[in-house]
Amino acid sequence: VEKLMNLAKEKLDTTVTNLAIAWCAKNKNVSVVILGATKESQIEENLKSLDVAAKLTPDIMKEIDEIVGTKPTLDGNAGRFLESLTNPL
């Protein structure tokens, strides 16, 4: 987590929480990001992740995958990915 915190702060000027949400939004294997909040300020903070997602380059996404070390590998076509769709972020 410390390496992710450093990446978030040094490369993206954000928190690891916003990085995590941004990573989910940017990841082509994630269908939906569900945010939970009990206060308006929490929603406002979480929505900052959209700006962070726009900054996540393929190189930064790769660096995150390397830090976390849990990127799955799929054998063949898993049947759920539509490569013709583009990621708006």
Side-chain angles (χ1 to χ4, degrees):
V1 175
E2 190 172 321
K3 288 181 181 180
L4 287 175
M5 290 172 66
N6 289 337
L7 183 141
K9 177 128 176 98
E10 294 172 10
K11 293 194 175 184
L12 301 166
D13 192 32
T14 192
T15 65
V16 72
T17 302
N18 283 339
L19 174 60
I21 295 168
W23 180 89
C24 290
K26 187 77 172 192
N27 189 315
K28 69 178 182 176
N29 298 313
V30 175
S31 301
V32 66
V33 179
I34 300 173
L35 303 175
T38 56
K39 299 176 185 172
E40 183 178 333
S41 62
Q42 292 170 323
I43 290 289
E44 291 170 353
E45 182 63 26
N46 289 343
L47 290 177
K48 292 178 185 177
S49 300
L50 295 175
D51 292 331
V52 177
K55 297 177 186 177
L56 292 179
T57 64
D59 287 340
I60 292 176
M61 292 292 284
K62 183 178 177 182
E63 188 174 349
I64 293 168
D65 287 338
E66 289 170 357
I67 290 170
V68 176
T70 58
K71 183 175 181 178
T73 56
L74 299 175
D75 295 330
N77 183 351
R80 66 178 278 228
F81 305 112
L82 301 174
E83 294 297 328
S84 63
L85 296 177
T86 59
N87 187 338
L89 299 174

